[in-house]
Amino acid sequence: MRSALALAEQATGWHDVPIGAVVLSATGELIGSGSNVREREGDPTGHAEIVALREAASAAGEWRLTGCTLVVTLEPCTMCAGAAVLARVDRVVFGAYDEKAGAVGSLWDVVRDRRLNHRPEVIGGVLAEESTALLDEFFRTHRT
């Protein structure tokens, strides 16, 4: 999570919401990383999780990320939760809960929907205070 937090801090330089994500292989090796790039790249899918999952799939040489863990500073939205399911990650670990758009237990629970063929383990609230503080500072200075 510390690596994801460091990536989140980078996003603020691009005026993106400070969210960072990493993908760890089954052996714990970092194979993907990303931060929000929506503003910098003008890409609505430029969420940290998507960037990290794409990099991990490239490193793995396939889209199935079985055995991998997605670690992200903020609870994934519906798009990112769906991408985690489709990528077949084994677990999703996140920091801050997102009551407004979270899709891993807060507002929706996409990753544990029994109708889906893959349901990753979920661990929430890891270093939540640090993740929340980073987001609060960003929005305090960007929304007046």
Side-chain angles (χ1 to χ4, degrees), residues 1-132:
M1 184 61 76
R2 296 256 178 238
S3 295
L5 282 165
L7 289 163
E9 289 179 14
Q10 290 178 1
T12 59
W14 307 314
H15 304 291
D16 265 302
V17 177
I19 300 171
V22 296
V23 177
L24 305 173
S25 72
T27 61
E29 176 188 1
L30 191 143
I31 61 169
S33 62
S35 57
N36 272 5
V37 295
R38 291 185 309 167
E39 295 298 328
R40 186 178 82 178
E41 297 183 7
D43 180 359
T45 67
H47 290 206
E49 300 95 322
I50 301 300
V51 174
L53 288 168
R54 285 178 180 153
E55 189 173 288
S58 180
E62 66 172 311
W63 61 268
R64 288 178 193 86
L65 298 175
T66 306
C68 292
T69 300
L70 171 64
V71 181
V72 60
T73 57
L74 180 66
E75 179 182 358
C77 69
T78 53
M79 175 180 68
C80 295
V85 169
L86 293 173
R88 310 292 196 272
V89 298
D90 279 15
R91 79 195 45 76
V92 175
V93 177
F94 67 89
Y97 286 85
D98 186 351
E99 301 296 328
K100 293 181 181 178
V104 186
S106 289
L107 187 58
W108 295 287
D109 201 352
V110 172
V111 298
R112 290 180 278 214
D113 190 316
R114 292 179 303 142
R115 296 168 292 185
L116 298 176
N117 65 339
H118 180 75
R119 290 180 296 282
E121 173 187 10
V122 174
I123 302 167
V126 177
L127 298 180
E129 296 80 18
E130 288 93 332
S131 297
T132 300

